[in-house]
Amino acid sequence: MQLPQMLYGRLLCSHRPHARIKRIDTSRAEALPGVKAVITGIDLPHKYGILPVSEDEFPLEIDKVRFVGDPIAVVAATDEFICEAALQLIEVDYEELPTAMSIDEALRPVEEADRIHDYGALEAAGNVHKQVHLEFGDVDAAIEAAPHVLEGMYFYEGNTHLALEQHAALAHYGADGKLTLWSSTQTPHYVHKAMAKVLELPTSRIRVIATPNGGGFLTPSRGKSDPFPHEFCAAKLSMMCRRPVKITLTREEIFYMHRGRHPVLMWVKTGVDDDGKILGLDFQSFVDGGAYGSYGVASTYYTGALQTVTYKIPTYRFRGLRVFTNKAPCGPKRGHGTPQPRYALEIHLDRIAEQLDLDPLQYRRSILVDEYSMTVNHMRVTSCGLDECLTAVGDASDFASKRRQLPYGQGIGMGCGSYLSGAGLPIYWNDMPHTSVDLKIDRGGGVCAKCMEIDIGQGSDSVLAMTVAEVLGIEADEIQLVTADTDTTPIDLGSYSSRVTFMMGNAAKQAAEKLRERILEAAGNKLEVSPEELAAAHGMIVHARTGKSMSFREAVPLAEARGGQLSSTGFYRPNRLAGPYKGSGVGPSPAYSYSCAAAQVDVDVETGIVTPQRIWIAHDCGRAINPVLVEGQVEGSVYMALGEIFLEEQTYRKGLHKFPSMLEYKSPTFLEMPPVETILVESLDGEGPFGAKECGQGPLLPVPPAVANAIYDAVGIRIDELPITPDKVLRGLERKAAGKESRVGPNRVPNVIWPDPIRVDPVWYDQPPEAYVPTIRRVDAEPPGSAKGSPNCEHRESP
Amino acid sequence: MLRLPPFVFRPARTVVEAVDLFGSASASGDEAMFVAGGTDLLPNMKRRQFEPAVLVGIRRIDEMRTITNSNRTAILGSGATLYQIARQPRLATEHTALVEACRQVATPKIQRMATLGGNLCVDTRCNYYNQTFEWRKSIGFCIKKDGDICLVAPGSSKCWAISSSDTAPALIALGASVRLVGPAGSRDVAVADLYRDDGINYMRRRPDELLSQVRVPRIEGLRSTYVKIRRRGSFDFPILGVAAAIRMQGNRVAGASLVLGAVHTHPVVVTEATDLVGHEPTAERLQAVAEAAQRHATPLDNADLTLYWRKQITAVTVRRALESLVG
């Protein structure tokens, strides 16, 4: 995008991992011809942060920098060459502070003045941001009484989204005193809110337009769900210069600003009975947060929240800890905080199956949660197609006859997962809807749907159009969409937490139903039949019994004549799902998706190079509203998972990100992509729109453990640490050959003094949910052709 | 976003003109560089590894783009693209290692821009060096550019950046030479003698000399291969390159050469390969050469994956390459 008279902006980022800013002098930069403005932290002195509990960032840091890449100044000039020259003229004097570059280093005691932040779990030594200790039932007694007890440690390295596009923000403060910001954001509403706070402008004078985001590899969480420094800076510079200002981040800056996946170290202990039934689960996670809070408090809870929604777990303890480190801040990436514990749990279950000589697939089937039941930590499970997923993947992959039967070096493994269809609670506490859709029909029958949802490549625009079209009985291409604009569209919280299809879909359905009622009433009146007996489909309104009909276009003016402008608003707010304990707000969702994956791998035992040969994945998406896009999301999840398994790692050396570039941060190309067989399972959720649940994040979760389990089947070694690189495989094989423990992974977790637990008596455990949360059970499918009341499988194979 | 630094572009139509343009730029005090495909140089310029005032364009020099075959030598213009070379049927049969190397450089799109000469001259690489100016400023710069110590081997007085050409090991194994044309005339240099043990001044080509052509001798019955180890099937520079060539007479080896890439500041000739000559290539003999090759590999912690692994897989990669030629 370009606007007349537009200026360009560039950020000056910290060159030190942790330091106090003693002096910052911009005078030489300001004097450079072509430079229109230079600002530093004191020009934007309001803190913000995506979570109200950790508003710990300035757009430009004022006194202190916390990682290499922390923005401290910004220049606006007539072109980027001048910006670059100006950046070199800004003088900064630093006073270096001790750094913490790992979880262990962050747990070391530090002087008060040397802490990375002056808030967090200050009672703990070091740089602890958050500690959580939740206990549901008597876990210790359950594990002690168990005939089999298994303990394990796992590590999941941090990685980043690597969206192909470079993020840009263009701000224009017009002569009318109104600021317009175009940005590649996933959350225009939160950006709008943060802008108002930081720029001290009323929301009425700020308009945020989320531009169509391409190249995200259909990745729902592309790390653009926080407000970012360059957005505030472009806005402030435009207000000062009264000209449009555009800032395009460099690839390196995207590595720094992006809120990648948290590195998580985990400890798991389970007690099981002779059949493998879980009696107690004890779980610890150590979360490396990077330099700022971001979504981290939620991420920490998420590493403990969803272990319970797949298998029956009657007693459970979760201890989680997030530290601040002098690295780029971490946040949500596909699966937000849940792929890490899922990796640990699903390998752990494989070990239990091995120890008890059970088939891992049948074993999982024997311990599944029941549909419509409450978990020990008060998560409400509604529709659950996991059993169908397991069966479908088992059949498609021929799992039973391949496991332990393939030649040495080849193996098959499997894993499961589950994810939210939208978080049950909004990011800031309020009672308002999470989403609203406005509809308006013109006199020619043209329908306009408005919603702040932002299509980030996942296809939410198509869901909006198809949902409205389905209800009104017209075609999706007859719907005009106005989206992702804080001026013209009603609130939707944004494209994160896999919430859009479920929540916006329900709002769109409700809005369309309101108008359908009015249109059918008008048509019934004209045709002299009862409106309840009319059906709307294919652009027609039909009375089946008499054959009387009229077109949708004919009915619309009749309806407007009877009751005025055809417009309506639908909205959606989840039921109150959270349990009666502190910390219960993270994890509840109106519905969970379920997935199962099997992976077949080939291990080159001389080089340690592992080649995935085929992935089978079944995903319970409730209902596939747009099956092609669902399949795309599932395959994209597999792709992203394979990157995290084999290649991607955000590692640091000498206080810096080791390789903030697309060449050296290794992400798979399509040559690395094996054939994927995708199976869609439709469990027709009672509360999802037409039964739909999420599909954009959940399918990533089962893949990493499936691959790790397949490597064990192939060569008998356990890699309990991602990424699984060839050197680790070779090391595992060497250890096995030397008769040592044939495993590569962490051998210790920090010895931490945990806070006293919040003890919760899980009286609701395994009970029907209605007694605790209002629940709508699955109803018959509305469109024809679906299996009544039971999940429906559709088998698709990638080309 | 990152921008190229300002420079003047002077395209040449002939080799002589290119050398003259370079000379006149230098004479007026401007740093000049040759640019053909630009796939290595331009990204490096964006990151400020190079800031030449003048780029002399050599992509349009027709005499440097031709590929001619005589019975004794294949003469490849250094401006021929890797894509062009990779699709020469005769080269694929007679100089397999070269074609295999060209096919594995970067990506198909880059192969259509990148030239053979450019790949022979490709800058040495190090993950302390191939970073943006701001990143290098944060870490304190290295000896290869703007700094005074080697960050990967701080005790070392020399630069340990890695020779990352795929075609150089292949051409050395095939016994190729290059023609360098400078202001004082032209000279032919064996590719084996083209490189130096220094990550900064890694070539014996003087900056004002244009590498105009590559001459590869034809050797009856020679079989060759190039094996590249990298993380992905595309994009990546080598973390190990193995070029091997063997000529058999009956069931005995009549000639053998083996060259490693990406294990040092220059391609490494494994002289022990000649131990095979006169003998049957038994598994034991191939293994002995493979192990000798591994001893020659001295990777450091400045490229992808661990240096231990990169050294450790040298022997198996070499053994497999040799097996594929004698099998």
Side-chain angles (χ1 to χ4, degrees):
Chain A
M1 279 186 75
Q2 288 204 319
L3 292 178
Q5 294 288 302
M6 189 173 85
L7 301 174
Y8 293 85
R10 277 286 299 272
L11 297 166
L12 178 72
C13 297
S14 164
H15 294 100
R16 298 285 180 276
H18 194 197
R20 253 182 269 287
I21 300 172
K22 301 299 288 179
R23 183 183 73 101
I24 180 160
D25 182 353
T26 60
S27 53
R28 286 175 64 214
E30 283 164 46
L32 190 69
V35 170
K36 298 297 175 188
V38 183
I39 57 172
T40 60
I42 49 167
D43 297 302
L44 286 165
H46 295 286
K47 283 190 174 179
Y48 69 96
I50 189 70
L51 298 185
V53 294
S54 38
E55 293 193 336
D56 59 2
E57 300 175 63
F58 289 110
L60 300 166
E61 291 303 323
I62 300 171
D63 300 324
K64 188 170 153 154
V65 290
R66 296 178 176 85
F67 71 102
V68 172
D70 216 351
I72 50 177
V74 63
V75 173
T78 47
D79 67 42
E80 283 190 308
F81 299 103
I82 296 170
C83 288
E84 204 169 294
L87 292 180
Q88 302 305 325
L89 298 174
I90 299 176
E91 292 164 24
V92 188
D93 290 342
Y94 296 105
E95 178 193 323
E96 309 242 5
L97 294 168
T99 60
M101 299 305 295
S102 66
I103 295 168
D104 276 337
E105 286 181 13
L107 289 171
R108 283 186 202 145
V110 286
E111 297 285 325
E112 192 67 35
D114 294 342
R115 279 181 189 265
I116 297 171
H117 284 283
D118 56 9
Y119 81 107
L122 297 178
E123 68 283 5
N127 285 294
V128 179
H129 174 204
K130 177 74 185 173
Q131 293 188 97
V132 181
H133 190 170
L134 299 170
E135 192 174 324
F136 305 92
D138 194 342
V139 187
D140 291 328
I143 291 179
E144 190 149 326
H148 308 279
V149 176
L150 195 74
E151 210 177 305
M153 280 173 269
Y154 302 88
F155 180 66
Y156 200 113
E157 182 57 282
N159 47 62
T160 192
H161 308 72
L162 208 73
L164 289 180
E165 83 230 20
Q166 284 175 287
H167 301 319
L170 168 55
H172 181 32
Y173 189 74
D176 55 358
K178 194 168 166 178
L179 175 78
T180 305
L181 176 78
W182 292 266
S183 183
S184 44
T185 179
Q186 293 174 229
T187 52
H189 170 61
Y190 295 131
V191 171
H192 191 222
K193 198 164 170 286
M195 281 282 154
K197 182 183 180 203
V198 171
L199 300 172
E200 298 179 279
L201 286 177
T203 52
S204 60
R205 283 175 59 199
I206 303 172
R207 178 181 188 183
V208 177
I209 300 173
T211 52
N213 292 197
F217 272 130
L218 295 171
T219 306
S221 284
R222 301 169 324 104
K224 275 294 291 155
S225 42
D226 284 62
F228 281 151
H230 68 289
E231 296 172 326
F232 301 108
C233 291
K236 181 70 181 179
L237 289 168
S238 181
M239 289 170 72
M240 291 169 68
C241 302
R242 298 291 169 132
R243 285 169 71 169
V245 177
K246 182 177 183 176
I247 300 178
T248 305
L249 297 183
T250 66
R251 176 55 58 182
E252 182 183 358
E253 286 165 348
I254 294 170
F255 275 90
Y256 299 150
M257 309 294 166
H258 236 69
R259 305 294 151 97
R261 187 171 318 288
H262 286 85
V264 183
L265 174 67
M266 293 160 287
W267 173 88
V268 194
K269 188 177 181 184
T270 45
V272 300
D273 72 8
D274 291 332
D275 298 324
K277 207 169 88 183
I278 298 167
L279 304 173
L281 171 64
D282 196 357
F283 200 96
Q284 291 181 24
S285 57
F286 301 86
V287 180
D288 183 347
Y292 291 97
S294 184
Y295 282 83
V297 169
S299 316
T300 307
Y301 277 108
Y302 273 126
T303 65
L306 298 191
Q307 279 88 327
T308 55
V309 301
T310 44
Y311 311 110
K312 284 189 178 173
I313 296 171
T315 66
Y316 177 45
R317 180 195 286 128
F318 169 61
R319 284 171 283 189
L321 174 152
R322 184 181 195 258
V323 292
F324 289 121
T325 50
N326 297 110
K327 306 196 277 194
C330 297
K333 184 186 172 194
R334 212 171 200 149
H336 192 187
T338 69
Q340 300 98 324
R342 186 52 64 179
Y343 175 70
L345 184 63
E346 296 290 326
I347 298 177
H348 199 75
L349 288 181
D350 224 55
R351 287 192 153 106
I352 292 171
E354 174 84 14
Q355 197 172 319
L356 302 180
D357 200 22
L358 301 168
D359 175 287
L361 193 147
Q362 298 306 330
Y363 167 50
R364 283 175 174 82
R365 293 189 67 198
S366 75
I367 58 169
L368 292 180
V369 288
D370 292 330
E371 281 200 312
Y372 299 100
S373 66
M374 298 296 291
T375 72
V376 70
N377 55 344
H378 203 282
M379 303 295 147
R380 181 194 67 162
V381 171
T382 57
S383 60
C384 172
L386 187 51
D387 199 25
E388 289 73 17
C389 291
L390 277 154
T391 307
V393 164
D395 291 349
S397 66
D398 207 4
F399 188 80
S401 59
K402 281 182 184 163
R403 192 178 72 94
R404 293 182 173 167
Q405 307 299 320
L406 294 170
Y408 181 69
Q410 288 182 36
I412 193 164
M414 52 90 50
C416 294
S418 174
Y419 196 66
L420 319 168
S421 303
L425 292 173
I427 282 171
Y428 63 98
W429 177 250
N430 71 79
D431 279 329
M432 292 174 279
H434 293 205
T435 182
S436 296
V437 171
D438 280 354
L439 289 182
K440 165 184 89 64
I441 307 184
D442 66 37
R443 291 178 174 182
V447 178
C448 179
K450 297 181 179 180
C451 180
M452 209 181 287
E453 62 91 6
I454 164 72
D455 197 320
I456 55 171
Q458 89 280 37
S460 56
D461 283 359
S462 80
V463 171
L464 178 56
M466 287 165 126
T467 302
V468 172
E470 178 72 21
V471 173
L472 296 178
I474 56 177
E475 299 301 321
D477 60 10
E478 293 172 78
I479 317 276
Q480 284 288 338
L481 300 181
V482 179
T483 62
D485 180 334
T486 59
D487 254 17
T488 60
T489 61
I491 288 279
D492 178 89
L493 295 180
S495 288
Y496 67 96
S497 108
S498 275
R499 49 176 297 289
V500 181
T501 293
F502 196 99
M503 298 193 182
M504 176 202 70
N506 270 324
K509 190 161 169 274
Q510 188 190 68
E513 281 166 355
K514 287 180 184 172
L515 291 183
R516 182 176 67 178
E517 193 182 325
R518 285 184 57 195
I519 293 165
L520 295 188
E521 195 178 279
N525 185 53
K526 177 79 173 176
L527 298 172
E528 297 175 328
V529 296
S530 161
E532 286 81 50
E533 292 177 8
L534 287 170
H538 302 298
M540 295 299 291
I541 293 165
V542 182
H543 188 250
R545 193 156 49 78
T546 60
K548 287 181 178 177
S549 69
M550 70 165 52
S551 70
F552 178 80
R553 282 189 190 145
E554 288 171 307
V556 162
L558 298 176
E560 188 177 330
R562 282 170 69 88
Q565 168 68 43
L566 280 170
S567 61
S568 67
T569 295
F571 66 91
Y572 179 78
R573 179 180 50 221
N575 288 323
R576 289 183 188 282
L577 297 163
Y581 63 92
K582 186 173 183 286
S584 65
V586 177
S589 173
Y592 298 99
S593 75
Y594 289 91
S595 338
C596 171
Q600 190 171 329
V601 301
D602 179 85
V603 181
D604 181 334
V605 294
E606 287 188 303
T607 63
I609 294 171
V610 180
T611 310
Q613 295 182 306
R614 202 172 192 85
I615 306 286
W616 297 265
I617 182 162
H619 180 70
D620 166 20
C621 63
R623 176 190 295 282
I625 288 180
N626 185 336
V628 173
L629 288 185
V630 175
E631 208 185 323
Q633 287 296 312
V634 175
E635 286 179 11
S637 296
V638 172
Y639 163 83
M640 187 173 262
L642 291 170
E644 297 188 8
I645 296 161
F646 291 118
L647 300 166
E648 300 186 30
E649 49 187 325
Q650 298 235 82
T651 43
Y652 288 74
R653 180 177 59 182
K654 302 188 184 188
L656 281 82
H657 193 299
K658 200 170 169 186
F659 27 56
S661 82
M662 281 189 103
L663 178 61
E664 294 303 331
Y665 175 87
K666 306 296 182 189
S667 191
T669 74
F670 55 67
L671 287 174
E672 279 67 56
M673 191 69 184
V676 177
E677 285 187 34
T678 300
I679 301 160
L680 302 184
V681 170
E682 300 191 309
S683 62
L684 304 177
D685 189 76
E687 295 180 13
F690 308 108
K693 302 191 286 189
E694 79 88 35
C695 67
Q697 306 196 58
L700 181 142
L701 276 76
V703 185
V707 169
N709 291 336
I711 291 170
Y712 179 75
D713 188 48
V715 290
I717 58 166
R718 289 279 176 198
I719 311 287
D720 295 332
E721 179 183 304
L722 286 184
I724 299 176
T725 47
D727 54 298
K728 291 179 192 170
V729 175
L730 220 47
R731 196 158 15 114
L733 290 166
E734 284 166 1
R735 291 178 61 83
K736 189 182 169 205
K740 295 182 191 159
E741 189 192 20
S742 50
R743 134 175 216 278
V744 175
N747 290 311
R748 51 170 286 277
V749 293
N751 188 14
V752 168
I753 300 164
W754 296 96
D756 290 337
I758 294 175
R759 288 205 174 82
V760 185
D761 181 16
V763 288
W764 49 75
Y765 172 67
D766 214 18
Q767 299 295 308
E770 283 82 353
Y772 304 95
V773 183
T775 300
I776 303 167
R777 295 204 176 214
R778 174 166 52 234
V779 291
D780 292 349
E782 284 163 20
S786 303
K788 192 175 176 180
S790 74
N792 177 19
C793 289
E794 195 173 344
H795 198 134
R796 288 150 191 277
E797 191 169 340
S798 70
Chain B
M1 55 197 288
L2 288 183
R3 296 282 182 191
L4 281 168
F7 60 89
V8 176
F9 181 66
R10 300 209 185 283
R13 285 287 182 183
T14 64
V15 171
V16 172
E17 190 190 1
V19 173
D20 284 350
L21 285 171
F22 194 105
S24 57
S26 301
S28 53
D30 288 333
E31 190 197 345
M33 292 180 82
F34 293 115
V35 63
T39 57
D40 187 49
L41 180 59
L42 297 181
N44 280 347
M45 285 170 66
K46 281 191 174 181
R47 294 185 287 254
R48 304 298 187 267
Q49 270 91 13
F50 301 104
E51 293 175 81
V54 176
L55 284 185
V56 176
I58 53 173
R59 193 172 172 74
R60 303 280 171 208
I61 301 177
D62 289 338
E63 60 191 296
M64 272 175 51
R65 301 174 74 182
T66 53
I67 296 175
T68 52
N69 284 293
S70 77
N71 285 337
R72 292 174 53 197
T73 316
I75 302 169
L76 315 172
S78 68
T81 64
L82 301 175
Y83 178 85
Q84 217 181 326
I85 292 166
R87 272 140 196 91
Q88 295 281 322
R90 194 163 168 192
L91 288 178
T93 323
E94 295 173 351
H95 298 119
T96 316
L98 175 62
V99 165
E100 288 177 349
C102 291
R103 279 196 185 137
Q104 294 179 81
V105 173
T107 69
K109 277 185 179 162
I110 290 173
Q111 288 163 22
R112 282 166 166 81
M113 284 297 285
T115 62
L116 180 61
N119 190 256
L120 283 172
C121 298
V122 76
D123 193 15
T124 53
R125 297 185 64 81
C126 171
N127 61 22
Y128 287 98
Y129 165 75
N130 296 102
Q131 303 276 2
T132 64
F133 179 82
E134 297 297 328
W135 190 99
R136 291 184 287 118
K137 185 174 174 184
S138 296
I139 207 161
F141 297 114
C142 79
I143 188 171
K144 187 160 159 73
K145 177 70 180 159
D146 304 320
D148 46 21
I149 58 162
C150 172
L151 292 168
V152 62
S156 163
S157 59
K158 75 165 201 181
C159 165
W160 282 91
I162 303 164
S163 168
S164 300
S165 169
D166 289 303
T167 56
L171 287 169
I172 294 170
L174 295 170
S177 61
V178 295
R179 177 152 298 170
L180 301 175
V181 184
S186 72
R187 58 182 180 134
D188 287 355
V189 178
V191 181
D193 297 329
L194 191 58
Y195 300 97
R196 294 152 44 98
D197 185 7
D198 177 354
I200 299 169
N201 297 307
Y202 56 95
M203 290 190 88
R204 293 207 159 82
R205 179 184 74 86
R206 288 189 297 269
D208 61 354
E209 284 183 310
L210 181 60
L211 194 162
S212 67
Q213 65 177 222
V214 179
R215 306 166 79 91
V216 200
R218 289 226 144 76
I219 299 165
E220 184 70 27
L222 187 74
R223 297 182 68 194
S224 65
T225 187
Y226 178 74
V227 179
K228 177 172 180 172
I229 301 291
R230 56 177 162 175
R231 268 279 214 140
R232 300 173 291 185
S234 198
F235 288 106
D236 295 334
F237 283 93
I239 46 180
L240 172 65
V242 173
I246 283 186
R247 187 163 54 88
M248 299 290 290
Q249 232 161 30
N251 57 3
R252 287 171 194 276
V253 175
S257 61
L258 177 66
V259 186
L260 305 180
V263 295
H264 207 284
T265 56
H266 55 80
V268 173
V269 177
V270 180
T271 48
E272 288 86 343
T274 53
D275 295 349
L276 295 172
V277 175
H279 299 288
E280 282 185 39
T282 59
E284 293 71 32
R285 285 205 176 87
L286 297 184
Q287 183 63 28
V289 174
E291 283 169 14
Q294 183 152 316
R295 289 193 293 275
H296 284 278
T298 52
L300 294 175
D301 184 21
N302 57 350
D304 190 24
L305 287 168
T306 67
L307 66 104
Y308 309 102
W309 184 81
R310 277 151 48 212
K311 184 166 173 80
Q312 201 176 359
I313 56 140
T314 308
V316 51
T317 311
V318 167
R319 193 199 76 224
R320 287 176 181 183
L322 295 173
E323 281 170 355
S324 76
L325 296 177
V326 300

